[in-house]
Amino acid sequence: MTPSATVGGDRLTERMTALVGEIRAVVDRGLPPELTAYLVGERLAPHLGDPDLLTDAQREGDPERYRQHVLHAEADGGFSVVALVWLPGQQTPIHDHVSWCVAGVHQGQESETRYRLVSDGRTAHLVETDHVVGPAGSVAAFAPPGDIHLVRNACSATAISIHVYGADVARLGTSIRRVYRLPADDRR
């Protein structure tokens, strides 16, 4: 499932503008991807749940699929900030990413299933390695490789998450590098 998207056209709140500045200060340090993601996650966490972080328009979902609101894309392509709005039952396909990523649950709860790609050189399949339920305020940070997962809203209420990617999502249209359609099992 591909997210519906909105790009620009909506103002940033004062709080989101401050968060973008904090993220920029981390990204401009030029640290390795894993450390950058970790530090960006530390900056994101205190903003989660604040009612002044998003505008009403940035909280709007789409009845067909989860909705992506690209809030900010750095002019040099160094990072993007995205709000994802998940109505009950909406989910991503199993996928990985083009860059490091930080995801923070702003409202509601998200479920994430993580996978490992296993290959014998002729065939490949996915093995479920973890299942995490992220309540509001939780943050996950990761960098490729090893970032294969599926995210869904398994609750009966809307969930909103704030994602920061080390790429220009406005230009790329998505943070997804590859969608996996391989068999998956839960053997850990």
Side-chain angles (χ1 to χ4, degrees), residues 36-146:
T36 297
Y38 175 81
L39 293 172
V40 167
E42 284 187 333
R43 300 318 183 273
L44 175 60
H47 296 276
L48 296 172
D50 188 295
D52 296 327
L53 188 61
L54 300 173
T55 66
D56 289 342
Q58 294 162 349
R59 297 171 187 272
E60 291 179 7
D62 181 321
E64 299 298 318
R65 59 186 79 57
Y66 69 98
R67 186 167 185 186
Q68 172 180 279
H69 297 273
V70 179
L71 306 176
H72 175 81
E74 196 73 340
D76 68 0
F79 70 91
S80 300
V81 181
V82 176
L84 295 180
V85 181
W86 313 79
L87 300 182
Q90 293 179 337
Q91 68 180 35
T92 68
I94 299 172
H95 66 281
D96 62 9
H97 294 272
V98 297
S99 69
W100 59 264
C101 175
V102 175
V105 181
H106 180 62
Q107 172 186 313
Q109 178 177 292
E110 289 181 357
S111 296
E112 178 188 18
T113 305
R114 297 174 183 164
Y115 298 90
R116 176 172 42 93
L117 183 62
V118 177
S119 174
D120 63 11
R122 294 174 305 170
T123 63
H125 68 280
L126 296 171
V127 175
E128 183 180 322
T129 60
D130 204 7
H131 183 78
V132 179
V133 176
S138 63
V139 175
F142 52 85

Side-chain angles (χ1 to χ4, degrees), residues 6 11 109 115 145 164 167 180 188:
T6 57
R11 66 176 174 78
Q109 178 177 292
Y115 298 90
V164 184
Y180 292 83
R188 294 180 197 185

